[in-house]
Each structure stands twice: as structure tokens, then as C-alpha cells.
Amino acid sequence: MFNALLAWLKDEKVFLKVQSGTGDNLLEEDIREGFTDYCLWSTFRPESIDTDGVLDMECLDSGMALFRENCTPGEALESSYRQAFGTDFDKDDIAVLMEE
């Protein structure tokens, strides 16, 4: 399991932050449908990134991607990209800047 990753999307000119889920956001209906894991994602413009901890970070959009088994960082990134932009994942559009 990964904690978080931050990627730069060249075409969209935004950051995509993806965090692994802790398990407490799965609804009973999600569990009944076989989902066991999830990740949370948010998109940010460069000027919205808080580097000193003083300003609130305003995200453009955010969501949650569900998985039926433990997701890898790559799967989380791909699913988050597809949800955030409604297009197929384009590995050439992404530069992963940080992964923990």
C-alpha cells in the first residue's frame, strides 16, 4: 500500500494528488458490491499549492476511486486520472513528482 503521490499533468497544467484510503470511507453498499480498497484524489492549480502551511489549499476537483482488491500506486494514479479528466490515461502526460 502507498500513502500518497503527487503528479504534474502537462496538458492540463495541474497537479494531481492521490492518497490511499484508510478504509473508513467505504459504505456498506460498496462493501456488498465487493469493493475493499479506495484512493482519494484532488486536482490543484500550481498557484494553489500551499508550501508554508498557512494558506488553505483550494482544489479544483476531487473524488474517490474504488477497487475490488488492494490498489497499487500505478492503478490509483490511472483510475484517478480517468475520473478527474474523463479521458483515457496518458502516461506521457504525467510526471510523478513525489511518492511516499
Side-chain angles (χ1 to χ4, degrees):
M1 181 63 67
F2 72 104
N3 288 326
L5 63 85
L6 180 67
W8 173 248
L9 282 68
K10 301 168 195 170
D11 289 343
E12 299 291 332
K13 296 187 179 20
V14 298
F15 291 103
L16 174 62
K17 180 178 80 171
V18 181
Q19 295 177 273
S20 62
T22 59
D24 51 351
N25 278 359
L26 286 175
L27 302 174
E28 286 184 29
E29 62 195 55
D30 297 332
I31 295 167
R32 276 195 306 274
E33 291 180 26
F35 294 107
T36 60
D37 199 9
Y38 64 91
C39 68
L40 303 170
W41 59 266
S42 302
T43 54
F44 300 89
R45 294 210 185 285
E47 62 271 14
S48 298
I49 295 295
D50 182 9
T51 57
D52 59 12
V54 175
L55 301 172
D56 290 331
M57 287 177 41
E58 286 188 38
C59 71
L60 297 170
D61 197 8
S62 62
M64 183 168 86
L66 298 170
F67 300 91
R68 289 197 163 83
E69 54 189 54
N70 289 344
C71 70
T72 65
E75 292 167 328
L77 181 60
E78 288 183 32
S79 291
S80 298
Y81 182 98
R82 284 194 299 273
Q83 279 190 16
F85 303 104
T87 61
D88 290 334
F89 179 72
D90 179 2
K91 66 179 176 67
D92 295 326
D93 182 36
I94 292 185
V96 175
L97 305 174
M98 179 203 75
E99 184 176 332
E100 47 178 56

